[in-house]
Amino acid sequence: YEPYIAVPNTPVTPLFDERFTGYGKNKIQFVQHLRMVGFQFYVAPKCFLMHAYHAKSASRHEWRHHKLAMDHLFGQFVNDT
């Protein structure tokens, strides 16, 4: 599962937070930020996409060592906004 979303490029559209590095939490933070600034989400039931196969990410294996720092950073982000 991936949160595939399409958002307009406007002055209120938040950018990805570059503090979230490596595997994980980056998309969670971005969607949370969109929610916090008032974006609404809708399901497009007649749309589909295809995922192209790619090699497994080495970052995923490194995530175990990085997870606690990213969890803490996400908590800070939520508390700061």
Side-chain angles (χ1 to χ4, degrees):
Y1 167 77
E2 291 284 349
Y4 293 107
I5 58 175
V7 296
N9 184 9
T10 69
V12 297
T13 303
L15 301 174
F16 276 97
D17 189 326
E18 294 181 2
R19 296 176 297 171
F20 291 90
T21 60
Y23 180 90
K25 293 285 191 219
N26 53 343
K27 292 180 287 283
I28 294 169
Q29 179 277 329
F30 184 62
V31 170
Q32 180 71 12
H33 200 168
L34 290 168
R35 291 179 61 230
M36 290 174 161
V37 297
F39 277 72
Q40 295 182 344
F41 299 87
Y42 303 92
V43 175
K46 295 185 180 185
C47 295
F48 71 95
L49 60 93
M50 295 174 56
H51 181 272
Y53 175 79
H54 57 81
K56 291 189 179 194
S57 170
S59 296
R60 183 174 185 188
H61 298 292
E62 296 167 9
W63 169 246
R64 289 181 216 130
H65 305 293
H66 196 56
K67 183 182 184 314
L68 292 178
M70 291 297 102
D71 286 347
H72 180 73
L73 182 58
F74 183 74
Q76 284 181 325
F77 166 78
V78 171
N79 290 331
D80 291 346
T81 50

